């Protein structure tokens, strides 16, 4: 019996998928034999390979070994053995381990029971003596065969729910690891349901029902990509050039083979000119493939050939205009990862704000946050031998060189401990004007290969070029922060000045003046005039709240409000001081304190009555004697104690014509001249 082209394609594809899945299962077994998650996954994929073997075997036996067709059909259906480990795998991945042992016993017991019925009875697959009147993909189903489909559907539903639940719970790098693999599983399940159930039921056409084994390589492929690219299940591997060459060669060989298989009758009768055109066509296809497809595959498997000098030139152009340090580091890491496949990078510089000359981290990319938290803030100390070697030699230091090069003999032990402790492979100094301003710290490559001499040479040249960029970015952030603080300072000073009296009150027998020159910081200095015409009096208030900045300014607003409220009442200066202290102490709970001097001018007797909360001394110029009298204001700091009744006194100052009083804050007494 002649094999049809479609049947031949399905048979070969199923066998190929079976071989790929078996190889992947063996790969998992070798790389991570003890991990329970990987163990269940490889068992599931191994029995998925049995599915491909069974379906391909149905076609093979139909044409070549009819006596084994019944057995091949049963082997194909027995691939439900892939279901239990897959469901268990989904439970472990989602972290739902409650009653996991009982769940495993139940699902394995059901599966073994169904497989036993498949091989020992005709309840699942009916034994047929003559297959030639049937299709190779159409073994007669037994009466209980729908139970197998129902079992598969229910199990896949549970597993899908677990996978989605586990994926939602994961974050960060773990989520990236699972993303591609889970998408591959969902694509496989989706097309399996479409091809095996929906199309046969809706269109009464089961021609495509045998393709799910072929589609299973999508799941295997995405898992392989997640392992190589993101170390899924903590598996670290390298795709060697030989394996990559075989895979890429197959991509071009397979289309040629199928072209020859389908068009063999036509090619056997073709003229020489037509064959020449076919050869030219395939030559053009190969050229397009080598130019567009091959580089992408090389890059996917971290085998793209380096173009150092182009990378060096382009990177300088790309990051040269960046001013934000995070943008510089992000662009730098992305380009280094594309060309050298670097897994992580960390930039260290010397801090200008500290007396020591240790190197501190200023930015990183590619590191897991849990690893960074375990690291010290000082990442390269001045007293270390490695520090001085880099500062003197201004050369990159690679871990392998330290181990074998005699020139590192004196710093070998200390440096290797440092490299192993920080999971480090290479240190490259950042150079600016022949001086080391920092260090680029690099971890392992994603393809696990070491840094070559060409890699090190490129990185040294790169660090000479980007030293100025990183220095500019560091200073740019300082400049931006300084400008932001200056803007906040100007705004705060403007608000502070608007809270001071806008005009001097006019009152009979007394001339008053007041001004404030703001310092470089927002402070809590305050003065005010509160006119009370109905009482023919004027309250003069001056105070100073501890501290600087916006907080002190806000407390000044609270002080102004409280003083105005209490001054409107029929109260003495002493009572105003006591009331302000009570409010201030309750609001700030001892976090701040302030000085306050409250004076009340009485027009009738030309007397100043005052009470003080430990404010600066009062200076009185006596015109008749032409001398200055210093009067201690007395009292206690406000805000320290809730009750200061025993500390506050009320006194008075009798003034004569042309006498003068000077009130001030500690900004005057603490000021210094240039000497």
């Amino acid at each position: 019996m002649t094999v049809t082209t479609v049947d031949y394609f399905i048979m070969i594809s199923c066998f190929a998928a079976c071989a790929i899945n078996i190889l992947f299962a063996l790969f998992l077994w070798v790389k991570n034999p003890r991990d329970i998650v990987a163990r269940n996954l490889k068992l599931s994929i191994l029995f998925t390979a049995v599915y491909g073997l069974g379906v391909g075997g149905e076609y093979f036996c139909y044409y070549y070994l009819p006596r084994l067709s019944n057995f091949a059909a049963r082997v194909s259906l027995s691939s439900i053995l892939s279901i239990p480990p897959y469901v268990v795998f989904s439970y472990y991945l989602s972290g739902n381990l409650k009653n996991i042992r009982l769940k495993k016993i139940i699902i394995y017991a059901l599966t073994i029971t169904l497989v036993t019925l498949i091989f020992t009875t005709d309840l699942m697959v009916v034994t047929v003596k003559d297959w030639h009147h049937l299709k190779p993909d159409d073994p007669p189903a037994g009466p209980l065969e729908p139970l197998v489909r129902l079992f598969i559907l229910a199990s896949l539903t549970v597993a899908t729910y677990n996978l989605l639940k586990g994926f939602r719970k994961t974050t960060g790098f773990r989520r990236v690891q699972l993303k591609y693999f889970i998408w591959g599983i969902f694509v496989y399940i989706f097309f399996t349901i479409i091809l095996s159930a929906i199309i046969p039921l809706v269109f009464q056409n089961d021609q495509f029902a045998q393709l799910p084994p072929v589609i299973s390589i999508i799941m295997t492929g995405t898992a392989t990509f997640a392992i190589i690219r993101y170390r899924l299940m903590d598996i670290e591997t390298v795709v060697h050039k030989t394996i990559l060459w075989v895979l890429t060669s197959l991509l071009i060989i397979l289309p040629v083979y199928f072209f020859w298989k389908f068009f063999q009758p036509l090619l056997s009768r073709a003229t020489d000119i037509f064959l020449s055109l076919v050869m030219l066509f395939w030559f053009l296809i190969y050229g397009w493939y080598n130019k567009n497809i091959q580089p992408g595959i090389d890059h996917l498997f971290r085998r793209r050939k380096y173009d150092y000098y182009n990378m060096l030139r382009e990177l300088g152009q790309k990051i040269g205009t960046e001013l934000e340090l995070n943008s510089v580091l992000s662009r730098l890491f992305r380009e280094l990862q594309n060309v050298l496949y670097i897994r992580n990078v960390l930039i260290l510089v010397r801090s200008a704000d500290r007396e020591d000359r240790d190197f501190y981290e200023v930015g990183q990319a590619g590191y897991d946050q849990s690893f960074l938290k375990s690291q010290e803030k000082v990442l390269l100390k001045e007293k270390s031998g490695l520090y001085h070697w880099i500062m003197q030699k201004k050369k990159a230091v690679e871990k392998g060189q330290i181990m074998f090069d005699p020139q590192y003999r004196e710093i070998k032990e200390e440096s290797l401990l440092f490299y192993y402790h920080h999971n480090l492979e290479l240190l490259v100094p950042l150079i600016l004007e022949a001086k080391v301003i920092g260090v680029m710290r690099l971890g392992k490559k994603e393809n696990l290969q070491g840094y070559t001499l060409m890699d090190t040479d490129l990185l040294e040249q790169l660090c000479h070029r980007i030293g100025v960029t990183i220095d500019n970015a560091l200073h740019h952030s300082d400049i931006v922060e300084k400008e932001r603080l200056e803007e906040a300072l100007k705004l705060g000073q403007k608000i502070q000045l608007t809270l001071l009296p806008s005009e001097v009150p006019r009152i009979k027998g007394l001339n008053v003046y007041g001004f404030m020159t703001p310092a470089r910081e927002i402070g809590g200095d305050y003065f005010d005039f509160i006119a009370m015409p109905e009482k023919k009096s004027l309250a003069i208030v001056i105070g100073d709240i501890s501290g600087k900045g916006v907080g002190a300014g806000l407390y000044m607003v609270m002080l102004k409000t409280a003083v105005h409220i209490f001054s409107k009442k029929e109260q003495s200066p002493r009572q105003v001081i006591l009331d302000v202290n009570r409010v201030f102490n309750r609001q700030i709970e001892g976090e701040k304190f302030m000085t306050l001097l409250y004076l009340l001018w009485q027009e009738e007797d030309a007397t100043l009555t005052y009470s003080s909360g430990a404010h600066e001394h009062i200076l009185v110029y006596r015109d008749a004697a032409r001398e200055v009298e210093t009067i201690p204001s007395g009292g206690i700091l406000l805000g320290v104690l809730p009750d200061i009744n025993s500390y506050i006194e009320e006194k008075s100052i009798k003034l004569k014509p042309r006498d003068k009083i000077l009130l001030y804050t500690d900004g005057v007494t603490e000021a210094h001249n240039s000497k």
Side-chain angles (χ1 to χ4, degrees), residues 5 36 169 177 239 241 248 325 330 389 404 439 442 445 519 531 570 579 588 602 616 628:
T5 302
I36 193 167
K169 288 168 60 177
Q177 283 183 315
V239 179
K241 291 183 178 180
T248 52
L325 183 61
S330 177
W389 201 97
F404 302 110
V439 176
L442 301 113
K445 286 187 177 184
E570 295 288 341
D579 289 343
I588 68 172
Q602 299 292 342
E616 301 290 334
V628 176

Side-chain angles (χ1 to χ4, degrees), residues 46-88:
L46 191 61
F47 286 116
T48 301
V50 173
Y51 185 23
L53 179 66
V55 174
E58 289 180 29
Y59 284 84
F60 182 83
C61 293
Y62 179 81
Y63 288 103
Y64 303 110
L65 296 172
R67 290 178 299 173
L68 297 179
S69 293
N70 288 297
F71 179 74
R74 297 180 192 279
V75 169
S76 174
L77 198 58
S78 70
S79 63
I80 59 170
L81 285 169
S82 66
I83 294 296
Y86 175 60
V87 174
V88 174

Side-chain angles (χ1 to χ4, degrees), residues 418-634:
F418 177 81
Y419 274 62
Y420 284 119
H421 177 70
H422 293 282
N423 196 19
L424 174 64
E425 295 293 319
L426 184 66
L427 281 178
V428 187
L430 296 168
I431 309 296
L432 176 64
E433 297 178 354
K435 294 181 180 179
V436 178
I437 63 167
V439 176
M440 181 189 294
R441 198 182 90 169
L442 301 113
K444 292 181 179 180
K445 286 187 177 184
E446 289 188 341
N447 57 9
L448 305 184
Q449 293 184 351
Y451 290 91
T452 65
L453 292 176
M454 190 174 287
D455 295 339
T456 306
D457 181 61
L458 168 68
L459 290 168
E460 285 182 342
Q461 293 184 51
L462 181 64
C463 286
H464 275 77
R465 294 198 177 195
I466 67 172
V468 63
T469 304
I470 291 178
D471 186 66
N472 289 339
L474 287 169
H475 286 86
H476 172 72
S477 61
D478 294 338
I479 293 171
V480 170
E481 180 65 15
K482 183 179 178 181
E483 291 177 348
R484 187 188 67 80
L485 292 175
E486 287 182 350
E487 288 297 323
L489 175 63
K490 290 177 181 178
L491 178 61
Q493 290 174 343
K494 185 177 180 180
I495 295 173
Q496 186 177 22
L497 291 174
T498 59
L499 296 173
L500 299 178
S502 58
E503 59 182 17
V504 177
R506 296 181 178 274
I507 189 165
K508 187 178 179 181
L510 188 69
N511 293 327
V512 292
Y513 303 95
F515 73 94
M516 183 176 72
T517 302
R520 291 286 298 166
E521 296 179 278
I522 303 171
D525 293 4
Y526 160 70
F527 77 89
D528 206 353
F529 304 124
I530 306 172
M532 293 172 279
E534 68 282 357
K535 302 177 184 178
K536 296 183 179 181
S537 60
L538 173 69
I540 305 166
V541 189
I542 187 170
D544 185 11
I545 298 172
S546 64
K548 301 292 183 182
V550 178
L554 293 175
Y555 285 126
M556 190 191 89
V557 176
M558 185 178 71
L559 171 61
K560 177 183 175 74
T561 304
V563 169
H564 273 259
I565 291 174
F566 296 130
S567 295
K568 298 299 182 181
K569 298 181 179 180
E570 295 288 341
Q571 294 187 141
S572 63
R574 180 176 184 274
Q575 190 59 48
V576 171
I577 293 290
L578 293 174
D579 289 343
V580 169
N581 177 75
R582 175 173 46 82
V583 172
F584 198 68
N585 177 265
R586 185 172 64 246
Q587 294 297 324
I588 68 172
E589 298 179 347
E591 293 181 2
K592 294 276 186 181
F593 60 85
M594 69 176 178
T595 67
L596 184 65
L597 178 60
Y598 187 95
L599 305 95
L600 186 62
W601 166 259
Q602 299 292 342
E603 181 184 330
E604 296 178 354
D605 53 4
T607 302
L608 271 174
T609 306
Y610 71 92
S611 284
S612 174
H615 196 68
E616 301 290 334
H617 297 334
I618 303 170
L619 300 180
V620 182
Y621 174 74
R622 299 296 184 180
D623 184 71
R626 294 184 179 276
E627 64 181 19
V628 176
E629 179 184 356
T630 301
I631 302 175
S633 61

Side-chain angles (χ1 to χ4, degrees), residues 307-315 335-336 339 458 462:
D307 189 356
Y308 288 101
Y309 299 105
N310 286 339
M311 180 265 182
L312 191 64
R313 183 180 64 254
E314 292 174 3
L315 184 58
E335 296 299 328
L336 289 175
V339 177
L458 168 68
L462 181 64

Side-chain angles (χ1 to χ4, degrees), residues 312-374:
L312 191 64
R313 183 180 64 254
E314 292 174 3
L315 184 58
Q317 294 172 351
K318 289 176 180 178
I319 72 172
T321 57
E322 296 283 358
L323 293 176
E324 293 290 340
L325 183 61
N326 289 336
S327 300
V328 171
L329 296 180
S330 177
R331 180 66 66 86
L332 174 65
F333 175 64
R334 189 161 59 248
E335 296 299 328
L336 289 175
Q337 189 181 44
N338 285 336
V339 177
L340 299 181
Y341 314 129
I342 289 171
R343 185 179 294 178
N344 42 52
V345 61
L346 191 143
I347 301 295
L348 312 176
V349 298
R350 287 187 295 189
S351 175
D353 301 330
R354 300 177 64 96
E355 296 181 358
D356 60 56
R357 299 171 66 82
D358 297 337
F359 283 113
Y360 295 82
E361 176 202 341
V362 293
Q364 61 83 26
Y367 277 99
D368 185 74
Q369 291 300 319
S370 60
F371 175 77
L372 288 176
K373 289 179 181 178
S374 67

